[in-house]
């Protein structure tokens, strides 16, 4: 055997072996493989997409403008603390993203310029106005989207979803695909919760607080807010705690007049876990890091005999009265939770708060039965198509058609192996890309066989007809495949989700087809022709 043919056979053999190794996890026999194989060799294989195994497709929009507002509010609070620390008399107000410090003075301006270099300061008739620069606001928005992706990824990991797909789309959208999720509502609640945990003092000394009803009907919140509109003291807000009557099961709300100043946030949490109280009711036990524990001790020490509201996303969960200074940094959140609700709350607290609220734009749930039906339909279409192609090629091109069929199987095997190596996700459009690539593989062989027939009719020997047929068909096949690859590249660059899956499988299939058509079948013809003088080519 010539060395050239031997090297081509070795190349084909290595490609087949690697494809089998990478595709093996998708075959039932992989379960019976020894443990050392499962640990050391590829074990993932091709992952089925959402449309094939069922699940949830979500698109969220990060409200990045709110992230800028939150930053301005925090800076405003920090400036108030700075004024107290430096014993400077100044009133700090925030409105529409602008912080106003009045009255203004050289000392105040110098202190703010030194501690907040990203603020743009301007002297006005109402005092010293401070606002974020456009560059800083853009940076905050960009970071908010990136941080939201990471926070959501942490939450989903702790929720236990295997093989989720999470990525940014456009400027501030996040696409999430959760294959196999059986309770999409629970997953959406975990993802969409901002989880901003705050500790604030209840203002029970205000006359307005004394006028508040102790409890209201669940739907009367808007009515109560309207009733007290314009009467809420500056620096205060009206928040509510949801409660359930254990005897009647009726939902009600408890109104609280809360001081807006946030004394402690969930950023300093180190632990959040589900525990049971003496009545066997679940609650979330939380613990702060040393910095948080010190602040918590100072807050409780400075507010003994007052109520401290634990607020999550603007809703009061509990407001216990502080009996004494609490050291150690341990606290609890009670809210009449079920076990699942307490577990979900601990997940979002551990994963951290979202930098800004998110708004759900799209929610598509694909049932597993639909995905199973799609797989069965795809298998049936593939089998029928393959049988029809094999029968036609053998009937029309005889032995040469059989060689083309072998190349077809080689093409499919290498394509599956390549997809498994790249850990690609197979979707319905991806299956369409596979079938289209297989069709192009057959088309390449038809082009070459017709060229060979022309050469045979011109009087050439079978060996010369094969060589000449491959040479003359090469550029036609190459050009058609390159144009298809360009189209696939454009689809991958500008497409999303399933379109990209189609582009990946099509481009892989076309590339492999070049190899199997020009190397695989040519090698078989060369082996047949080298042993003896072939007088007749079965084509």
């Amino acid at each position: 055997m010539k060395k050239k043919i031997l090297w081509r056979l070795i190349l084909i053999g290595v490609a087949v072996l690697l494809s089998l190794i990478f595709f093996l996890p998708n075959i039932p026999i992989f379960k019976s493989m020894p443990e050392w194989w499962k640990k050391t060799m590829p074990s993932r294989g091709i992952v089925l997409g959402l449309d094939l195994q069922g699940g949830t497709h979500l698109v969220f929009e990060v409200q990045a403008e709110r992230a800028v507002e939150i930053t301005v509010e925090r800076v405003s609070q920090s400036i108030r603390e700075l004024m107290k620390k430096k014993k400077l008399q100044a009133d700090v107000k925030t409105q529409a993203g602008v912080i106003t410090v009045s009255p203004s003075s050289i000392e105040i301006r110098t202190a703010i310029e030194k501690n907040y270099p990203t603020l743009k300061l301007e002297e006005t008739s109402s005092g010293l106005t401070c606002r974020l620069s456009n560059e800083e606001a853009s940076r905050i928005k960009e970071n908010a989207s990136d941080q939201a992706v990471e926070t959501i990824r942490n939450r989903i990991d702790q929720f236990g979803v295997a093989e989720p797909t999470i990525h940014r789309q456009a400027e501030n959208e996040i696409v999430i695909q959760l294959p196999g999720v059986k309770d999409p509502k629970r997953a959406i609640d975990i993802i969409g919760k901002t989880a901003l945990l705050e500790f604030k003092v209840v203002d029970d000394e205000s006359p307005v607080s004394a006028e508040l009803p102790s409890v209201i009907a669940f739907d009367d919140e808007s009515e109560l807010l309207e009733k007290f509109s314009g009467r809420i003291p500056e620096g205060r807000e009206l928040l509510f705690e949801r409660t359930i009557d254990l005897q009647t099961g009726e939902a009600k709300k408890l109104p609280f007049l809360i001081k807006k100043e946030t004394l402690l946030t969930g950023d300093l949490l180190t632990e959040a876990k589900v525990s049971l109280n003496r009545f066997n009711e679940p609650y979330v036990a939380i613990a702060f890091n040393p910095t948080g524990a010190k602040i918590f001790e100072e807050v409780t020490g400075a507010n003994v005999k007052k109520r401290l509201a634990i607020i999550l996303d603007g809703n009061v969960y509990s407001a216990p009265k502080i009996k004494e200074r609490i050291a150690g940094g341990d606290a609890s959140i009670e809210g009449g939770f079920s076990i699942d609700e307490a577990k979900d709350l601990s997940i979002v607290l551990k994963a951290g708060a979202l930098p800004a609220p998110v708004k759900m734009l799209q929610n598509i749930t694909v049932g597993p039965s639909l995905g199973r039906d799609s797989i069965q339909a795809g298998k049936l279409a593939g089998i029928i198509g393959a049988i029809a192609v094999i029968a036609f090629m053998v009937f029309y091109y005889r032995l040469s058609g059989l060689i083309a069929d072998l190349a077809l199987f080689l093409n499919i095997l290498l394509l599956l192996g390549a997809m498994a190596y790249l850990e690609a996700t197979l979707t319905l459009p991806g299956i369409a890309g596979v079938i289209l690539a297989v069709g192009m593989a057959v088309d390449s062989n038809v082009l070459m066989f017709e060229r060979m027939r022309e050469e045979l009719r011109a009087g050439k020997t079978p060996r010369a007809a094969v060589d000449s047929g491959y040479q003359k068909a090469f550029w036609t096949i190459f050009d058609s495949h390159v144009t298809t690859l360009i189209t696939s590249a454009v689809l991958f660059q500008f497409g999303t989700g399933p379109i990209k899956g189609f582009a990946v499988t099509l481009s892989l299939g076309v590339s492999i087809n070049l190899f199997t058509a020009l190397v695989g079948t040519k090698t078989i013809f060369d082996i047949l022709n080298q042993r003896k003088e072939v007088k007749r080519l079965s084509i």
Side-chain angles (χ1 to χ4, degrees):
M1 184 179 294
K2 293 181 180 179
K3 279 190 177 180
K4 193 175 178 182
I5 298 176
L6 181 62
W7 279 113
R8 276 189 277 166
L9 279 175
I10 292 174
L11 181 62
I12 294 170
V14 170
V16 169
L17 182 63
L18 289 175
S19 298
L20 286 173
I21 290 173
F22 281 104
F23 185 62
L24 194 60
N26 291 102
I27 303 175
I29 196 174
F30 182 75
K31 294 179 181 176
S32 59
M33 297 298 288
E35 286 300 318
W36 67 265
W37 179 281
K38 295 179 181 176
K39 290 180 180 177
T40 56
M41 304 303 281
S43 59
R44 179 170 174 175
I46 298 175
V47 179
L48 296 183
L50 202 67
D51 51 356
L52 294 181
Q53 64 168 316
T56 303
H57 174 93
L58 303 167
V59 179
F60 281 93
E61 180 188 57
V62 180
Q63 297 179 310
E65 290 290 345
R66 180 59 185 145
V68 176
E69 293 175 5
I70 292 172
T71 302
V72 171
E73 290 169 3
R74 288 180 177 173
V75 171
S76 174
Q77 178 61 30
S78 179
I79 290 176
R80 286 193 192 94
E81 294 172 359
L82 178 67
M83 296 297 105
K84 288 181 182 176
K85 185 177 178 182
K86 291 188 173 293
K87 297 180 180 178
L88 297 171
Q89 295 295 325
D91 186 24
V92 182
K93 293 182 179 178
T94 304
Q95 187 172 17
V98 180
I99 303 169
T100 304
V101 184
S102 61
S104 176
S105 68
I106 295 177
E107 291 81 7
I108 290 175
R109 185 183 181 101
T110 303
I112 294 177
E113 282 181 335
K114 182 178 179 182
N115 289 276
Y116 305 97
T118 58
L119 290 179
K120 295 180 70 175
L121 308 183
E122 184 181 0
E123 296 287 351
T124 64
S125 57
S126 56
L128 180 65
T129 60
C130 317
R131 66 184 75 211
L132 294 173
S133 64
N134 293 333
E135 294 78 11
E136 181 66 9
S138 299
R139 187 191 67 78
I140 292 171
K141 291 177 184 177
E142 183 71 16
N143 285 349
S145 296
D146 289 339
Q147 189 180 340
V149 170
E150 291 306 314
T151 303
I152 289 173
R153 193 187 306 281
N154 288 338
R155 291 180 183 182
I156 291 173
D157 287 345
Q158 295 185 39
F159 186 51
V161 178
E163 310 295 348
T165 301
I166 306 163
H167 62 85
R168 278 185 64 178
Q169 174 179 279
E171 187 178 349
N172 58 347
E173 292 179 2
I174 301 175
V175 177
I176 304 164
Q177 292 187 342
L178 305 174
V181 169
K182 297 178 181 177
D183 189 353
K185 182 180 180 303
R186 188 179 168 199
I188 292 169
D189 288 343
I190 288 178
I191 294 169
K193 191 172 288 183
T194 306
L196 177 60
L197 181 66
E198 299 172 292
F199 291 77
K200 298 181 179 180
V201 172
V202 179
D203 187 0
D204 288 321
E205 298 171 355
S206 169
V208 175
S209 186
E211 295 180 34
L212 289 174
S214 58
V215 63
I216 62 172
F218 191 81
D219 298 327
D220 289 350
E221 179 180 330
S222 300
E223 184 180 338
L224 188 68
L225 287 172
E226 185 177 354
K227 180 180 178 182
F228 282 87
S229 176
R231 297 181 56 195
I232 303 298
E234 188 177 344
R236 306 292 188 270
E237 59 187 338
L238 202 55
L239 299 179
F240 298 85
E241 176 186 353
R242 190 191 70 161
T243 181
I244 304 291
D245 190 316
L246 296 178
Q247 294 182 341
T248 63
E250 184 182 4
K252 296 182 178 179
K253 287 188 175 180
L254 310 180
F256 293 91
L257 185 65
I258 306 282
K259 293 183 179 179
K260 282 186 176 181
E261 182 181 3
T262 302
L263 304 176
L264 183 60
T265 67
D267 297 346
L268 303 175
L269 282 181
T270 58
E271 183 60 56
K273 62 182 180 181
V274 179
S275 298
L276 298 175
N277 62 17
R278 58 178 175 161
F279 301 110
N280 218 27
E281 296 171 342
Y283 68 96
V284 179
I286 57 177
F288 292 99
N289 62 16
T291 304
K294 183 179 178 183
I295 297 174
F296 189 63
E297 184 178 354
E298 291 174 355
V299 167
T300 53
N303 294 283
V304 173
K305 296 184 179 179
K306 295 181 181 177
R307 289 195 290 172
L308 184 65
I310 302 174
I311 303 164
L312 184 69
D313 293 343
N315 298 306
V316 178
Y317 273 71
S318 58
K321 180 174 283 189
I322 303 171
K323 296 179 181 177
E324 57 185 0
R325 176 187 292 266
I326 302 174
D330 295 323
S332 61
I333 304 175
E334 299 180 352
F337 303 118
S338 66
I339 284 288
D340 282 344
E341 288 173 337
K343 184 179 177 183
D344 293 348
L345 179 57
S346 69
I347 287 175
V348 297
L349 289 176
K350 279 191 288 188
L354 288 172
V358 292
K359 177 183 177 184
M360 189 166 66
L361 300 180
Q362 194 174 30
N363 174 12
I364 300 174
T365 300
V366 181
S369 58
L370 181 59
R372 190 166 53 248
D373 292 345
S374 300
I375 293 175
Q376 293 300 329
K379 283 182 179 177
L380 184 62
I383 291 171
I384 293 175
I387 291 174
V389 169
I390 290 170
F392 172 79
M393 294 298 286
V394 172
F395 172 77
Y396 198 70
Y397 293 107
R398 302 178 186 177
L399 179 61
S400 298
L402 188 60
I403 293 173
D405 291 337
L406 289 175
L408 189 63
F409 280 114
L410 182 63
N411 196 74
I412 295 173
L413 178 61
L414 296 185
L415 176 56
L416 294 176
M419 291 181 66
Y421 169 74
L422 296 173
E423 298 184 351
T425 300
L426 185 63
T427 60
L428 273 178
I431 292 177
V434 172
I435 294 174
L436 181 56
V438 168
M440 291 188 69
V442 176
D443 189 46
S444 301
N445 286 287
V446 169
L447 276 172
M448 289 184 294
F449 293 166
E450 290 301 324
R451 280 287 188 181
M452 290 180 199
R453 281 182 168 179
E454 289 178 3
E455 299 299 323
L456 288 172
R457 283 196 289 268
K460 290 188 178 180
T461 63
R463 180 179 295 180
V466 169
D467 292 340
S468 181
Y470 270 91
Q471 288 174 3
K472 292 182 178 178
F474 174 80
W475 287 111
T476 305
I477 297 171
F478 184 81
D479 289 348
S480 66
H481 283 59
V482 167
T483 51
T484 306
L485 282 174
I486 293 172
T487 306
S488 300
V490 173
L491 286 175
F492 184 83
Q493 179 65 30
F494 298 103
T496 58
I499 303 298
K500 283 193 173 184
F502 174 79
V504 169
T505 52
L506 180 60
S507 56
L508 280 175
V510 167
S511 302
I512 292 170
N513 180 39
L514 273 175
F515 173 76
T516 55
L518 301 177
V519 178
T521 54
K522 182 67 166 57
T523 302
I524 298 175
F525 278 114
D526 287 346
I527 292 173
L528 293 176
N529 288 331
Q530 75 164 354
R531 293 184 177 275
K532 59 181 182 179
E533 186 65 30
V534 179
K535 296 182 179 178
R536 183 174 174 274
L537 183 63
S538 178
I539 188 169

